Each structure stands twice: as structure tokens, then as C-alpha cells.
Amino acid sequence: QVQLVESGGGLVQAGGSLRLSCAASGRTFSNVAMGWFRQSPGKEREFVAAIGRSGANTYYADSVKGRFFISRDNAKNTVYLRMNSLKAEDTAVYYCASYSASYYSAGAAVGSWGQGTQVTVSS
């Protein structure tokens, strides 16, 4: 199991940027795909972005494509989510996730979740 701790959330004005970080513990970090999800009040948790174990392959929800960028540093056991051009509808609790496999695929099983970090975008 990988333990995950997110940071970097906060309050930002619409059009601004934030970078979320997710620090992972455990020796398996570099062997698994990682992802970010988000959940707004009254809504189900939704997929935001994912990255394969090497960092070469990335995947995004249509709603964030071109604005959000996921990356990872396996030497630091950390995955990042750079969020640009933020909109009010991006307001949510953002969760880091580690997948059970080395690659991402739609519907892939999540092995571990972080505790979440709040992102609030004011319009």
C-alpha cells in the first residue's frame, strides 16, 4: 500500500493558478500509475488526470484538458497537478490516488487515496 498526503490547496481567484502536490510513502510509488480526482458538494467524485509510472503517458478529463497538467518525480515520490486558468466550477476537494497497475486505463482500480485538499476558486 502507498500512503498519500496532498498539499497545495487554497483559495484563488478565477483565472489564477495553483499547484497541488501529493507525497507518497512506500517503495511501490515508481511502479504504479497515479491520478487526481475531485469531489464537489452534492456530486460524485470524478476523475481529473492520471499519469503512468514513467511519466511518459498522461490522461485528462475533458473539462480540464489544456488547463491542468499532471507530472511526477519518482526520485521524490511525488505527483503534482498544475492547475491554470481556474474556474469557479473547479472548486472541489482534490484527492490524490495511486492505481493498482503501472499504467492507467478507464475504470482502473485505485489502490490508495489521500485525505484530500480543498481548492476554492472565487469568481
Side-chain angles (χ1 to χ4, degrees), residues 9-109:
L11 174 65
V12 63
Q13 288 188 332
S17 298
L18 278 177
R19 189 181 77 160
L20 306 182
S21 299
C22 173
S25 61
R27 292 176 291 177
T28 61
F29 176 81
S30 61
N31 293 333
V32 297
M34 298 293 295
W36 288 94
F37 289 72
R38 66 186 182 186
Q39 187 168 20
S40 304
K43 295 186 177 180
E44 292 190 354
R45 191 172 298 188
E46 64 175 357
F47 169 80
V48 174
I51 187 167
R53 69 172 185 172
S54 72
N57 297 306
T58 57
Y59 311 85
Y60 298 93
D62 287 343
S63 59
V64 306
K65 203 170 292 183
R67 299 188 299 122
F68 290 13
F69 301 93
I70 188 171
S71 61
R72 67 189 296 163
D73 185 338
N74 286 343
K76 295 182 178 180
N77 276 16
T78 302
V79 63
Y80 305 96
L81 184 68
R82 177 68 180 183
M83 306 184 293
N84 298 326
S85 302
L86 283 160
K87 306 174 182 180
E89 51 263 43
D90 295 319
T91 295
V93 177
Y94 283 72
Y95 296 91
C96 178
S98 65
Y99 289 95
S100 300
S102 62
Y103 58 91
Y104 167 78
S105 61

Side-chain angles (χ1 to χ4, degrees), residues 2-17:
V2 177
Q3 286 75 49
L4 306 171
V5 178
E6 302 98 332
S7 61
L11 174 65
V12 63
Q13 288 188 332
S17 298

